[in-house]
Amino acid sequence: MGSLLHFPPLRLRRSSPRFTFSSLAASNDRGRRCSSLDPSSMGFRSIKNGGASDGQSSSSQVARRDEGMRSVSSVYGSQVGVIEDEILGTIDGSTSMKCTPGWAYPLGVSDVENGINFSIFSQHASSVTLCLSIPDRLQSEKSDDGMVEIMLDPLKNRTGVIWHICVEDLPRCGVLYGYRIDGPREWKKGHRFDSNNILLDPYAKLVESRRNFGDVTNKASKFLGTYDFSSPPFDWGAGYKHPNLPENNLFIYEMNVRSFTVDESSGLDPSIRGSYLGVIEKIPHLLELGVNAIELLPVFEFDELEFQRRPNPRDHMVNTWGYSTINFFSPMGRYASDGGGPLAASYEFKQMVKALHAAGIEVILDVVFNHTNEADDEYPFTTSFRGIDNKVYYMVDGNGELLNFSGCGNTLNCNHPVVMELVLDSLRHWVNEYHVDGFRFDLASILCRGVDGNPLSAPPIVKAIAKDAVLSRCKIIAEPWDCGGLYLVGRFPNWDRWAEWNGKYRDDIRRFIKGDQGMKGSLATRLAGSADLYKVNKRKPYHSVNFVIAHDGFTLYDLVSYNFKHNDANGEGGNDGSNDNLSWNCGCEGETTDVNIIALRSRQMKNFHLALMISQGTPMMLMGDEYGHTRYGNNNSYGLDNAINYFQWGQLEAKRSGHFRFFKEMAKFRQKHPILRQENFLDKKDVAWHEDSWDNHESKFLAFTLHDKKLGEDIYLAFNAHDYFVEATLPSAPARKHWHRVVDTNLESPHDFVPEGVKGVGKRYNVAPYSSILLKAKH
């Protein structure tokens, strides 16, 4: 532990020069322009890439600090002030470090006029020690952990519940930092303090750890904050702009950054496979498919080797999906190219967003504000929040035990004012710094629980997100359920802003297409925009995010190939993953050479995609479904860092003229026909249902016509889930027009989708078993 600091006269900090790049291309060598560390004693590799600035000028930081003092006083319970005293720290009686008490705001690290300011919240801490790993510091100055330690004086370095210190003469990049925090050891009151741990700053904008994804040789790497106030701001370009797509025009593609390009079949240079830069290389594929928004599985810093910390049934697994957040501000460092680290990750993430925006594609982040990586009390992994102030950051019961509504051992206390401010600050950071377009909130019903875990009718955090000025242009999407049984589909508190993953859409579409009885009325309701759920107040059809498939559960191919989950590879004895998938294997479990079963599966996949593309609302599909990716029946593949989750580019090429062609043509058709993307719910003038037996429980045939009042190009659709042909009597086409066949999923490619339509459709159409058709009225 470092010695307690004293207070000498003021001495101004030397200002180190800012780095300048002569051109954007110079960023390829940006790491060599910043001081590097070699904290080998902490399991780190030396930093070889730097780059994207995460900081601002000193003057702007001071302005933010002064402005922020007013806003945080109500959240943290005391007025934040500027402390002018000066202190001089002596570490182990040798080299001096010049310090001042610093400022309480902004939280995290900031570049101020006379040094680097560190600020951290802890309401219940009794002591806080700042730990620094500084380039070129003598080893004699460091503790056993290889870090310089500065103990904060609670009388001079604490304002209310915020601890702070300003350290002079620190490098303006390349420093690693963390905190030792101690406090009451009263477990039954919810405290989990342990000063043996070096903790990550919740407000760290960059996080340093192992450099390469899944590097088991650095399994025990610490996670520490770092910063960069030397690099210039990222150049977004003079002509840069957000796509700002209307919500009713979105087509979302759910994908994982690493899995998208890490496979050798991607054809990319090994240095960028599985990285943010790899996504850029595959933008042409996204454009060809017709999606205009990508929803990225978690890209906040997470520990992919968390399952390997101790012997357990999952210790062979690697967290591939990323639902185990360590820090809410920093991009995943191991998604940087070529082991570049956090500075490179920050820079390359911005490059990715810029390139996607230039292509007209929006970026939506899947964010996990329901739990963190720190697990439960039986096998905790204390890296940050638990050791800083467990009782504030997590929900605890009357006995101090962690509440678990996430299924992951802990539950973030999002409606506590301090945690709520953290969430809002994180979201604003990703909008302001990284220019993302929206957020999908994992297990969002947890945001609707109070500090005691009970549901709230008007949860403050949900309202604050909806009303926040910075987030006003963002798409905000809730996964409206949690693992504690709070199912809020159609009832999520929304302030007419929040969209929802429509779980009822998924279930009803699956039931009808596979041939369940009594689902015709439900199918009609879902295809028409789920007015039963969302036609309330000022909500719109696009507030229903329609999906048949998502990252968890079966892929589209597996949905039509497996009746049961096959999760043996996960090591949990088949106890993980859903048992009720509403799937049908079409006559054989798993792979088969039966041509009839293969053809039926192909029809069923096209039926699902047709239904998704013609439904009112916001469609979402899963990465890989455009070529029929299989996980061989594994419906919970979160921990398999292999071909089970990797996009298979070779298979895409093999399916390009068939399955993939149908998928991309359906997306184009949707974009060309506004009647399929209505901003308001359908009324009687918009749709005619060709049905007079809604109560017929045995009927599995539905037909209807969408009336295009502007162009007169009506669209007729029929879905047949019977195992026999149904002869449909067609309505009359609009005046001087005739029906043309665009889609018949029973036909082989290219006849299954004919963009210009096929003439000669008579007054009747024989719809094949387990198939669907789309006709268009044309001259």
Side-chain angles (χ1 to χ4, degrees):
M1 303 289 283
S3 58
L4 190 63
L5 303 181
H6 302 287
F7 294 81
L10 171 64
R11 196 171 128 184
L12 294 177
R13 169 185 184 272
R14 292 191 306 273
S15 182
S16 51
R18 290 186 178 273
F19 297 153
T20 57
F21 295 165
S22 58
S23 68
L24 186 61
S27 64
N28 292 330
D29 193 39
R30 57 191 177 274
R32 296 174 178 83
R33 302 173 184 268
C34 183
S35 299
S36 62
L37 292 175
D38 185 18
S40 56
S41 62
M42 296 178 291
F44 291 112
R45 290 178 54 193
S46 61
I47 299 173
K48 65 176 180 180
N49 288 327
S53 173
D54 194 67
Q56 302 177 10
S57 66
S58 297
S59 59
S60 63
Q61 287 286 357
V62 172
R64 287 181 59 218
R65 178 199 72 209
D66 294 340
E67 179 184 357
M69 287 179 213
R70 295 185 293 275
S71 65
V72 298
S73 59
S74 60
V75 174
Y76 297 99
S78 63
Q79 180 61 44
V80 177
V82 180
I83 302 176
E84 300 294 347
D85 291 334
E86 307 288 330
I87 55 180
L88 175 66
T90 301
I91 309 301
D92 295 335
S94 56
T95 304
S96 297
M97 295 187 66
K98 297 172 289 296
C99 303
T100 63
W103 296 272
Y105 189 83
L107 292 171
V109 177
S110 51
D111 185 16
V112 296
E113 290 179 353
N114 61 328
I116 302 295
N117 194 74
F118 298 84
S119 176
I120 188 169
F121 159 85
S122 182
Q123 178 179 344
H124 297 100
S126 59
S127 71
V128 174
T129 300
L130 175 65
C131 305
L132 301 171
S133 184
I134 309 168
D136 304 324
R137 282 285 171 182
L138 296 176
Q139 189 62 38
S140 60
E141 296 181 353
K142 301 177 181 179
S143 69
D144 292 339
D145 288 288
M147 306 189 81
V148 173
E149 299 194 352
I150 307 172
M151 182 178 288
L152 277 61
D153 185 341
L155 299 179
K156 297 179 174 66
N157 297 103
R158 179 173 179 170
T159 303
V161 293
I162 300 177
W163 300 72
H164 45 81
I165 190 168
C166 180
V167 184
E168 298 187 26
D169 292 322
L170 281 181
R172 300 179 68 235
C173 66
V175 173
L176 305 183
Y177 76 100
Y179 294 91
R180 295 188 190 275
I181 297 181
D182 209 348
R185 303 298 177 94
E186 298 171 300
W187 187 285
K188 290 188 176 181
K189 291 186 178 181
H191 299 305
R192 303 292 187 270
F193 290 106
D194 183 351
S195 59
N196 291 315
N197 296 313
I198 297 180
L199 305 170
L200 176 63
D201 177 9
Y203 274 78
K205 304 305 189 298
L206 299 170
V207 174
E208 179 66 88
S209 184
R210 73 181 74 90
R211 288 300 184 87
N212 295 297
F213 194 93
D215 179 8
V216 295
T217 64
N218 281 306
K219 190 183 300 185
S221 291
K222 289 184 172 66
F223 292 85
L224 295 173
T226 188
Y227 58 81
D228 174 25
F229 298 117
S230 294
S231 301
F234 181 80
D235 182 10
W236 290 96
Y240 168 82
K241 62 180 181 179
H242 289 268
N244 287 326
L245 300 175
E247 288 188 76
N248 62 306
N249 286 344
L250 287 184
F251 177 17
I252 299 173
Y253 185 78
E254 192 192 26
M255 58 173 284
N256 177 274
V257 168
R258 174 172 166 80
S259 297
F260 192 46
T261 65
V262 72
D263 195 80
E264 185 178 359
S265 65
S266 68
L268 300 183
D269 186 280
S271 66
I272 66 169
R273 290 178 198 160
S275 71
Y276 302 120
L277 297 186
V279 174
I280 296 176
E281 295 298 315
K282 296 300 184 180
I283 288 176
H285 169 69
L286 300 175
L287 292 174
E288 184 180 7
L289 179 58
V291 300
N292 56 19
I294 59 172
E295 183 174 298
L296 299 178
L297 267 63
V299 294
F300 295 1
E301 184 72 26
F302 66 91
D303 181 8
E304 74 278 12
L305 298 180
E306 63 176 352
F307 307 130
Q308 301 185 26
R309 292 194 295 265
R310 58 180 178 83
N312 69 91
R314 299 187 295 169
D315 59 12
H316 63 293
M317 300 180 80
V318 174
N319 187 336
T320 301
W321 290 353
Y323 290 89
S324 193
T325 307
I326 284 178
N327 175 275
F328 297 109
F329 291 86
S330 56
M332 176 62 172
R334 287 166 298 290
Y335 287 169
S337 63
D338 200 24
L343 277 70
S346 175
Y347 185 86
E348 292 173 7
F349 188 97
K350 293 171 187 176
Q351 286 182 296
M352 178 188 70
V353 173
K354 180 179 178 179
L356 287 162
H357 283 178
I361 299 173
E362 294 195 335
V363 180
I364 298 170
L365 303 186
D366 190 338
V367 292
V368 187
F369 290 110
N370 57 77
H371 76 283
T372 77
N373 68 296
E374 295 190 302
D376 55 19
D377 281 331
E378 184 176 5
Y379 298 107
F381 183 49
T382 302
T383 56
S384 183
F385 309 95
R386 177 183 174 93
I388 293 170
D389 209 323
N390 183 80
K391 190 174 182 178
V392 169
Y393 283 114
Y394 298 116
M395 295 182 190
V396 297
D397 63 18
N399 296 316
E401 300 294 329
L402 292 170
L403 295 173
N404 182 16
F405 298 110
S406 67
C408 297
N410 62 68
T411 309
L412 208 63
N413 197 8
C414 290
N415 282 296
H416 185 288
V418 169
V419 185
M420 181 170 72
E421 192 68 16
L422 173 78
V423 172
L424 291 169
D425 285 343
S426 167
L427 297 174
R428 294 174 190 133
H429 177 70
W430 286 95
V431 172
N432 290 330
E433 184 75 11
Y434 293 100
H435 292 201
V436 302
D437 303 282
F439 305 93
R440 176 265 187 189
F441 293 79
D442 182 64
L443 297 182
S445 288
I446 282 176
L447 303 181
C448 301
R449 294 183 182 273
V451 295
D452 58 358
N454 290 322
L456 303 173
S457 59
I461 183 61
V462 176
K463 179 179 180 180
I465 292 170
K467 299 293 185 181
D468 188 81
V470 173
L471 306 178
S472 61
R473 69 166 180 80
C474 292
K475 280 75 176 179
I476 48 176
I477 304 168
E479 183 184 35
W481 52 80
D482 64 19
C483 293
L486 189 56
Y487 187 77
L488 296 175
V489 173
R491 299 183 294 112
F492 190 85
N494 56 79
W495 284 271
D496 297 325
R497 282 268 285 123
W498 284 80
E500 301 176 16
W501 268 24
N502 189 345
K504 291 186 178 180
Y505 177 96
R506 173 199 60 204
D507 296 347
D508 289 348
I509 298 295
R510 287 187 178 192
R511 286 189 176 104
F512 180 91
I513 297 295
K514 79 184 184 71
D516 284 1
Q517 293 185 347
M519 296 305 300
K520 182 165 56 179
S522 296
L523 175 68
T525 300
R526 300 297 157 240
L527 297 180
S530 297
D532 61 327
L533 301 174
Y534 301 109
K535 193 176 182 180
V536 58
N537 299 328
K538 297 180 180 179
R539 303 197 86 182
K540 303 291 185 179
Y542 53 72
H543 286 127
S544 171
V545 176
N546 301 328
F547 67 103
V548 178
I549 303 295
H551 64 276
D552 49 356
F554 281 154
T555 65
L556 184 61
Y557 178 89
D558 290 356
L559 184 69
V560 301
S561 304
Y562 294 89
N563 286 350
F564 310 101
K565 65 183 182 183
H566 296 264
N567 294 1
D568 292 343
N570 299 352
E572 299 186 52
N575 293 318
D576 65 307
S578 174
N579 293 318
D580 188 7
N581 297 283
L582 302 176
S583 62
W584 176 41
N585 65 19
C586 295
C588 175
E589 187 75 358
E591 297 303 304
T592 181
T593 57
D594 188 311
V595 294
N596 293 320
I597 292 177
I598 292 172
L600 176 56
R601 289 175 178 175
S602 176
R603 288 206 304 277
Q604 288 291 73
M605 286 190 284
K606 290 187 286 186
N607 292 336
F608 279 120
H609 192 60
L610 173 64
L612 181 66
M613 288 291 98
I614 61 89
S615 295
Q616 303 297 323
T618 301
M620 184 189 79
M621 66 168 289
L622 176 67
M623 174 189 88
D625 281 347
E626 67 264 42
Y627 65 80
H629 183 84
T630 182
R631 295 175 182 155
Y632 302 100
N634 192 317
N635 71 353
N636 193 31
S637 63
Y638 65 97
L640 301 176
D641 186 40
N642 54 36
I644 290 288
N645 282 310
Y646 297 169
F647 194 101
Q648 299 297 306
W649 294 92
Q651 292 184 31
L652 172 67
E653 290 305 312
K655 301 291 182 66
R656 182 167 292 281
S657 62
H659 183 98
F660 176 71
R661 176 183 176 274
F662 184 89
F663 269 56
K664 72 175 184 179
E665 292 296 342
M666 273 309 314
K668 290 178 183 177
F669 188 89
R670 178 181 176 86
Q671 283 302 114
K672 290 180 180 178
H673 294 81
I675 187 66
L676 301 176
R677 300 177 283 105
Q678 294 280 69
E679 187 170 347
N680 297 303
F681 287 95
L682 301 176
D683 58 29
K684 293 180 179 179
K685 296 179 181 179
D686 297 317
V687 59
W689 301 99
H690 308 306
E691 181 59 59
D692 55 10
S693 59
W694 290 104
D695 297 329
N696 183 353
H697 189 73
E698 296 181 356
S699 176
K700 304 175 187 178
F701 183 87
L702 178 68
F704 60 99
T705 299
L706 294 171
H707 299 302
D708 189 329
K709 291 174 286 187
K710 291 184 179 180
L711 302 178
E713 296 182 344
D714 287 7
I715 296 173
Y716 173 89
L717 290 136
F719 293 86
N720 180 19
H722 287 291
D723 58 1
Y724 52 81
F725 280 87
V726 172
E727 187 177 61
T729 301
L730 302 182
S732 298
R736 297 183 295 279
K737 295 187 177 181
H738 306 280
W739 292 116
H740 291 60
R741 188 196 80 230
V742 178
V743 174
D744 186 336
T745 62
N746 184 53
L747 302 177
E748 295 293 325
S749 181
H751 307 293
D752 54 354
F753 193 107
V754 181
E756 66 276 13
V758 177
K759 298 179 181 179
V761 177
K763 295 183 178 180
R764 296 178 180 276
Y765 197 106
N766 212 16
V767 185
Y770 297 111
S771 68
S772 48
I773 64 171
L774 184 156
L775 310 178
K776 182 178 176 179
K778 297 178 62 178
H779 289 293

